Amino acid sequence: MTLRVIYLRAMVVQLYGMLAEAVGTARVELEAHSTHQLRQELVGRYPALDGLSFSLAVDRVLVHHDMPLTGKEEIAALPPFAGG
Amino acid sequence: MNQEKKHRVKDIFVEGPIHPDFIATSIAKHTTRTDIGAHEIFLGQVRADHVVTSSAAEVRQPVTAIEYTAYRDMALERMTAIREEAFAQWPGMTCLHVHHSLGTVKAGELCFMVFASAPHRAAAREAVAWVVDRIKAELPIFGREVLSDSTHLWKTNS
Protein backbone atom coordinates (compact mmCIF):
# COMPACT_ATOMS: atom_id res chain seq x y z
CA MET A 1 0.00 0.00 0.00
CA THR A 2 1.37 3.40 -0.90
CA LEU A 3 0.47 6.69 0.63
CA ARG A 4 0.68 9.80 -1.48
CA VAL A 5 0.86 13.13 0.30
CA ILE A 6 0.22 16.34 -1.60
CA TYR A 7 1.62 19.47 -0.07
CA LEU A 8 -0.16 22.73 -0.67
CA ARG A 9 1.83 25.91 -0.46
CA ALA A 10 0.88 27.94 2.58
CA MET A 11 1.20 31.60 1.90
CA VAL A 12 0.61 34.91 3.58
CA VAL A 13 -1.86 37.24 1.90
CA GLN A 14 -1.87 40.91 2.89
CA LEU A 15 -5.29 42.57 2.86
CA TYR A 16 -5.88 46.28 2.35
CA GLY A 17 -8.61 48.84 2.77
CA MET A 18 -12.17 47.56 2.90
CA LEU A 19 -10.96 43.97 2.52
CA ALA A 20 -8.98 44.10 5.77
CA GLU A 21 -11.95 45.76 7.42
CA ALA A 22 -14.38 43.11 6.15
CA VAL A 23 -12.23 40.21 7.32
CA GLY A 24 -11.03 41.88 10.52
CA THR A 25 -7.31 41.46 9.86
CA ALA A 26 -4.64 42.75 7.46
CA ARG A 27 -2.98 39.37 7.10
CA VAL A 28 -4.32 35.88 6.42
CA GLU A 29 -2.66 32.56 5.60
CA LEU A 30 -3.97 30.04 3.14
CA GLU A 31 -2.83 27.46 0.59
CA ALA A 32 -3.08 27.80 -3.17
CA HIS A 33 -1.34 26.60 -6.33
CA SER A 34 -2.41 29.55 -8.43
CA THR A 35 -3.88 33.03 -8.27
CA HIS A 36 -7.34 31.89 -9.36
CA GLN A 37 -7.31 29.18 -6.71
CA LEU A 38 -6.06 31.69 -4.15
CA ARG A 39 -8.98 33.98 -4.94
CA GLN A 40 -11.43 31.11 -4.54
CA GLU A 41 -9.81 30.13 -1.23
CA LEU A 42 -9.97 33.70 0.04
CA VAL A 43 -13.66 34.17 -0.71
CA GLY A 44 -14.49 30.65 0.41
CA ARG A 45 -12.78 31.02 3.74
CA TYR A 46 -13.83 34.63 4.33
CA PRO A 47 -17.40 35.03 3.06
CA ALA A 48 -17.31 38.71 4.02
CA LEU A 49 -15.23 39.13 0.84
CA ASP A 50 -17.96 37.73 -1.37
CA GLY A 51 -19.22 40.46 -3.70
CA LEU A 52 -16.31 42.79 -2.92
CA SER A 53 -14.23 43.84 -5.88
CA PHE A 54 -10.49 43.22 -5.52
CA SER A 55 -7.38 42.51 -7.53
CA LEU A 56 -4.36 40.40 -6.62
CA ALA A 57 -0.77 41.59 -6.62
CA VAL A 58 2.03 39.03 -6.84
CA ASP A 59 5.45 40.41 -5.90
CA ARG A 60 3.98 43.93 -6.13
CA VAL A 61 2.60 43.56 -9.65
CA LEU A 62 -1.13 43.23 -10.47
CA VAL A 63 -1.98 39.82 -11.91
CA HIS A 64 -5.30 39.28 -13.68
CA HIS A 65 -4.64 35.94 -15.36
CA ASP A 66 -4.32 32.57 -13.67
CA MET A 67 -0.70 32.44 -12.55
CA PRO A 68 0.97 29.46 -10.84
CA LEU A 69 2.36 30.16 -7.38
CA THR A 70 5.39 28.54 -5.74
CA GLY A 71 4.64 29.76 -2.25
CA LYS A 72 7.53 32.20 -2.06
CA GLU A 73 5.70 35.14 -3.57
CA GLU A 74 4.53 38.27 -1.78
CA ILE A 75 0.74 38.33 -2.23
CA ALA A 76 -1.68 41.16 -1.60
CA ALA A 77 -5.41 41.52 -2.16
CA LEU A 78 -6.23 45.09 -3.17
CA PRO A 79 -9.62 46.82 -3.24
CA PRO A 80 -10.23 49.61 -5.78
CA PHE A 81 -7.64 52.37 -5.65
CA ALA A 82 -8.49 55.81 -4.33
CA GLY A 83 -5.20 57.69 -4.49
CA GLY A 84 -4.49 61.04 -6.04
CA MET B 1 20.32 65.67 -11.44
CA ASN B 2 18.07 64.04 -14.06
CA GLN B 3 19.87 60.71 -13.79
CA GLU B 4 19.60 60.69 -10.02
CA LYS B 5 15.90 61.31 -10.16
CA LYS B 6 15.40 58.55 -12.68
CA HIS B 7 16.90 55.76 -10.68
CA ARG B 8 16.39 56.48 -7.00
CA VAL B 9 13.27 55.21 -5.29
CA LYS B 10 11.80 58.33 -3.76
CA ASP B 11 9.37 58.20 -0.88
CA ILE B 12 6.34 60.20 -1.99
CA PHE B 13 4.36 59.72 1.20
CA VAL B 14 3.90 62.34 3.89
CA GLU B 15 1.97 61.91 7.11
CA GLY B 16 -1.13 64.10 7.22
CA PRO B 17 -2.00 66.95 4.88
CA ILE B 18 0.43 68.76 2.59
CA HIS B 19 0.82 72.31 3.89
CA PRO B 20 0.73 75.29 1.53
CA ASP B 21 4.03 76.43 3.08
CA PHE B 22 5.64 73.23 1.82
CA ILE B 23 4.59 74.10 -1.71
CA ALA B 24 6.05 77.60 -1.42
CA THR B 25 9.31 76.14 -0.12
CA SER B 26 9.42 73.61 -2.96
CA ILE B 27 9.03 76.38 -5.52
CA ALA B 28 11.67 78.51 -3.84
CA LYS B 29 14.18 75.66 -4.02
CA HIS B 30 14.20 75.97 -7.79
CA THR B 31 15.40 79.58 -7.88
CA THR B 32 18.98 78.55 -8.65
CA ARG B 33 17.87 76.34 -11.55
CA THR B 34 18.02 79.06 -14.14
CA ASP B 35 17.51 76.56 -16.97
CA ILE B 36 13.88 76.29 -15.84
CA GLY B 37 11.31 78.47 -17.58
CA ALA B 38 8.09 76.84 -16.45
CA HIS B 39 6.61 75.16 -13.39
CA GLU B 40 3.38 73.19 -13.53
CA ILE B 41 1.82 72.14 -10.24
CA PHE B 42 -1.21 69.94 -9.63
CA LEU B 43 -2.70 69.96 -6.14
CA GLY B 44 -5.35 67.51 -4.98
CA GLN B 45 -7.57 68.69 -2.16
CA VAL B 46 -10.05 66.68 -0.12
CA ARG B 47 -13.50 67.69 -1.23
CA ALA B 48 -16.56 67.52 1.02
CA ASP B 49 -18.54 65.24 -1.28
CA HIS B 50 -22.08 64.64 -0.13
CA VAL B 51 -22.49 60.90 -0.11
CA VAL B 52 -25.66 58.91 0.23
CA THR B 53 -25.61 56.96 3.46
CA SER B 54 -29.18 55.78 3.49
CA SER B 55 -30.86 55.26 0.13
CA ALA B 56 -34.23 54.70 1.77
CA ALA B 57 -34.29 58.04 3.51
CA GLU B 58 -32.19 59.78 0.78
CA VAL B 59 -29.86 60.90 3.52
CA ARG B 60 -26.67 62.55 2.34
CA GLN B 61 -23.76 63.44 4.55
CA PRO B 62 -20.67 65.48 3.80
CA VAL B 63 -17.25 63.87 3.83
CA THR B 64 -15.32 65.52 6.67
CA ALA B 65 -11.98 63.81 6.03
CA ILE B 66 -10.28 61.02 4.13
CA GLU B 67 -7.98 58.53 5.85
CA TYR B 68 -5.36 57.31 3.42
CA THR B 69 -3.49 54.01 3.61
CA ALA B 70 -1.27 52.36 1.01
CA TYR B 71 0.51 49.18 0.01
CA ARG B 72 3.68 51.14 0.35
CA ASP B 73 6.28 48.89 -1.32
CA MET B 74 4.17 48.41 -4.42
CA ALA B 75 3.20 52.10 -4.56
CA LEU B 76 6.84 53.17 -4.50
CA GLU B 77 7.78 50.65 -7.20
CA ARG B 78 4.93 51.80 -9.40
CA MET B 79 5.84 55.44 -8.78
CA THR B 80 9.47 54.81 -9.73
CA ALA B 81 8.33 53.23 -13.00
CA ILE B 82 5.96 56.13 -13.72
CA ARG B 83 8.73 58.61 -13.01
CA GLU B 84 11.12 56.86 -15.38
CA GLU B 85 8.49 56.75 -18.10
CA ALA B 86 7.75 60.44 -17.60
CA PHE B 87 11.40 61.40 -18.08
CA ALA B 88 11.60 59.12 -21.11
CA GLN B 89 8.52 60.76 -22.67
CA TRP B 90 9.53 64.31 -21.77
CA PRO B 91 13.33 64.25 -21.86
CA GLY B 92 13.46 68.01 -21.60
CA MET B 93 11.80 67.96 -18.17
CA THR B 94 14.14 69.22 -15.47
CA CYS B 95 12.54 67.70 -12.41
CA LEU B 96 9.43 66.03 -11.06
CA HIS B 97 8.27 66.08 -7.44
CA VAL B 98 5.39 63.94 -6.20
CA HIS B 99 3.89 63.87 -2.72
CA HIS B 100 0.87 62.01 -1.38
CA SER B 101 -0.63 62.09 2.08
CA LEU B 102 -1.13 59.11 4.37
CA GLY B 103 -3.34 59.22 7.43
CA THR B 104 -6.09 61.76 7.99
CA VAL B 105 -6.59 64.72 5.66
CA LYS B 106 -9.59 66.92 6.37
CA ALA B 107 -11.91 68.39 3.75
CA GLY B 108 -10.24 71.53 2.45
CA GLU B 109 -6.73 70.24 3.07
CA LEU B 110 -4.26 69.12 0.42
CA CYS B 111 -3.51 65.42 -0.07
CA PHE B 112 -1.65 65.20 -3.37
CA MET B 113 0.95 67.22 -5.25
CA VAL B 114 2.63 66.72 -8.61
CA PHE B 115 5.12 69.42 -9.51
CA ALA B 116 7.10 69.42 -12.75
CA SER B 117 9.63 71.95 -14.03
CA ALA B 118 11.01 72.32 -17.53
CA PRO B 119 12.68 74.90 -19.77
CA HIS B 120 9.36 75.41 -21.59
CA ARG B 121 5.77 75.02 -20.49
CA ALA B 122 4.54 72.28 -22.86
CA ALA B 123 6.62 69.51 -21.27
CA ALA B 124 5.77 70.55 -17.72
CA ARG B 125 2.04 70.84 -18.41
CA GLU B 126 1.78 67.56 -20.31
CA ALA B 127 3.95 65.61 -17.87
CA VAL B 128 1.95 66.72 -14.83
CA ALA B 129 -1.38 65.76 -16.43
CA TRP B 130 -0.01 62.40 -17.49
CA VAL B 131 1.60 61.63 -14.12
CA VAL B 132 -1.56 62.57 -12.20
CA ASP B 133 -3.66 60.21 -14.33
CA ARG B 134 -1.15 57.38 -14.01
CA ILE B 135 -0.93 57.73 -10.24
CA LYS B 136 -4.70 57.71 -9.82
CA ALA B 137 -4.96 54.58 -11.95
CA GLU B 138 -1.99 52.57 -10.73
CA LEU B 139 -0.90 53.33 -7.20
CA PRO B 140 -2.33 51.06 -4.48
CA ILE B 141 -3.55 53.86 -2.25
CA PHE B 142 -6.83 53.47 -0.37
CA GLY B 143 -9.12 56.07 1.14
CA ARG B 144 -11.67 55.85 3.90
CA GLU B 145 -14.13 58.74 3.71
CA VAL B 146 -15.07 59.84 7.21
CA LEU B 147 -18.56 61.29 7.48
CA SER B 148 -19.97 63.85 9.89
CA ASP B 149 -21.56 61.20 12.10
CA SER B 150 -18.16 59.44 12.28
CA THR B 151 -19.26 56.54 10.08
CA HIS B 152 -17.26 55.96 6.92
CA LEU B 153 -17.36 54.79 3.32
CA TRP B 154 -14.54 53.49 1.16
CA LYS B 155 -13.59 55.79 -1.71
CA THR B 156 -13.13 54.57 -5.27
CA ASN B 157 -11.47 56.43 -8.13
CA SER B 158 -13.70 56.59 -11.20
Side-chain angles (χ1 to χ4, degrees):
Chain A
M1 187 159 72
T2 56
L3 197 66
R4 197 188 300 172
V5 181
I6 301 167
Y7 291 98
L8 289 177
R9 291 119 179 144
M11 36 208 331
V12 171
V13 178
Q14 302 170 54
L15 302 176
Y16 286 88
M18 73 171 88
L19 307 179
E21 187 180 72
V23 173
T25 178
R27 184 188 185 283
V28 298
E29 281 190 27
L30 37 78
E31 303 85 29
H33 288 294
S34 74
T35 49
H36 277 14
Q37 192 195 9
L38 188 139
R39 180 180 285 271
Q40 281 169 1
E41 282 292 312
L42 259 178
V43 180
R45 199 173 296 194
Y46 304 101
L49 295 178
D50 192 23
L52 296 184
S53 167
F54 65 91
S55 48
L56 291 174
V58 178
D59 290 331
R60 300 171 300 286
V61 175
L62 286 184
V63 172
H64 303 290
H65 62 285
D66 194 16
M67 178 178 160
L69 298 170
T70 65
K72 296 178 189 151
E73 297 90 349
E74 178 177 316
I75 312 282
L78 309 175
F81 301 164
Chain B
M1 194 156 189
N2 267 4
Q3 286 300 316
E4 198 186 307
K5 282 178 163 56
K6 268 188 230 180
H7 301 297
R8 212 165 44 151
V9 176
K10 296 181 144 206
D11 188 358
I12 63 168
F13 293 112
V14 298
E15 197 59 37
I18 294 168
H19 292 287
D21 289 352
F22 176 78
I23 300 159
T25 305
S26 298
I27 296 166
K29 281 182 184 171
H30 291 74
T31 303
T32 55
R33 295 299 308 264
T34 53
D35 49 338
I36 292 171
H39 298 298
E40 185 82 15
I41 303 174
F42 174 83
L43 299 173
Q45 177 167 300
V46 174
R47 187 178 56 234
D49 277 347
H50 281 71
V51 292
V52 177
T53 49
S54 165
S55 49
E58 293 255 325
V59 175
R60 283 181 178 268
Q61 288 191 66
V63 171
T64 59
I66 296 179
E67 293 169 357
Y68 287 106
T69 52
Y71 179 6
R72 196 186 186 96
D73 288 348
M74 180 176 164
L76 295 186
E77 277 189 22
R78 289 311 314 145
M79 188 61 231
T80 302
I82 290 168
R83 179 186 299 278
E84 285 176 359
E85 277 184 65
F87 277 100
Q89 259 198 264
W90 292 279
M93 186 166 61
T94 315
C95 46
L96 176 67
H97 305 288
V98 177
H99 300 283
H100 198 292
S101 295
L102 288 178
T104 303
V105 183
K106 295 180 197 164
E109 293 182 326
L110 301 172
C111 57
F112 182 40
M113 171 175 160
V114 176
F115 173 16
S117 309
H120 299 281
R121 68 187 183 283
R125 179 180 298 167
E126 289 165 17
V128 167
W130 184 87
V131 169
V132 168
D133 287 350
R134 290 291 297 267
I135 286 172
K136 285 171 98 63
E138 295 176 29
L139 261 57
I141 298 172
F142 313 101
R144 222 168 83 126
E145 294 176 316
V146 180
L147 308 175
S148 46
D149 67 355
S150 299
T151 58
H152 66 271
L153 284 177
W154 288 94
K155 181 178 183 288
T156 310
N157 283 347
S158 43

